[in-house]
Amino acid sequence: MSSKPSATVYAAGAVLWRHIGDDIHVLVIHRTEHKDVSLPKGKVDPGETLPQTAVREIREETGIKVSLGVPLGATEYVMPNGKNKFVQYWAAEVTTKAIQKSKFVPNGEVAALEWLPLATARGELSYDPDKEILDNFAALVKEGVTKTFAVVVLRHAKATSPSDWRGEDSSRPLTERGLTQAHGIVRTITAWKPKRLVSSTAVRCKETITPTAKALGEDVKFTKKVSQDAYEKGSSDVRSVVGDIVRKRKSAIVCTHGPVAPAVIRELALATGTPRTSALDEAGLLDTAAFSIVHLSSTHPSSGIIAVETHSSLL
């Protein structure tokens, strides 16, 4: 009789970084019970996505509220109890304001926080997997692309079928499942704190982006430039929408349609001088309520797309 495979424990965290003087410093935590030094991270709570976990755990362990940046990869290893552990990491820039608002005090889990230069931090970390993630961040530092912004390319949630709708296609609303999806993606997307929200004028897109807009406290710019109707008629203008976002260099959402999402990804590649790849093509092929996050350099947008990650709806 074969033994039952060990369950995998999922967790998420980040390399928190900021400038101190002319150098980049990262945050390490000194854990109380384990008496070790690690990067901020923690286990997924039931119903959470990994980005949600990263933001929550960082705040719980350090008192610092962050928005996520570029994905830095994942580590996977076997814990002393025999279970596998998978930890996904992102970079996260920490602002002076966020540090001032932190209410961290030493506790039963975290004894102390310490900001260290990269090389010093690597030497202090207790575990090789943490060092590997820090090396990934160090590579970004070397390339000069640590400061980034994210463009979320979001396909609308599940809508009423055209065969079940007698009105204009643009007036098709979300189904009950679609409405649930629209609310379910909020806490994941808001982990990047987008500031600019752009959406197709179609009802199904409006209903998809509204819960996220309310959570962020941001207004939405509705435009036919990224609508399916305009795209199919050849009158869309995805390029101007993408160009405006890249020029502003602030994290943004573009809520659009299945046929239009690949065009948004292509225009992001063209606007940043990024060669077309199969991975980029796949990032535009989204299911309902799924989204790809394209990471660009805030200081050198023409340096190309730094990373792309795709998230699917859990509902």
Side-chain angles (χ1 to χ4, degrees), residues 13 66 72 80 86 88 113 139 144 165-166 178 246 252 276 296 308:
V66 300
L72 294 176
F86 176 93
Q88 176 70 52
L113 307 177
W165 188 251
R166 294 184 179 181
V246 173
R276 183 172 177 177
L296 306 174
V308 180

Side-chain angles (χ1 to χ4, degrees), residues 215-228:
L216 291 168
E218 302 287 350
D219 294 328
V220 183
K221 179 181 179 182
F222 295 103
T223 175
K224 292 183 179 180
K225 293 180 179 180
V226 293
S227 73
Q228 184 169 338

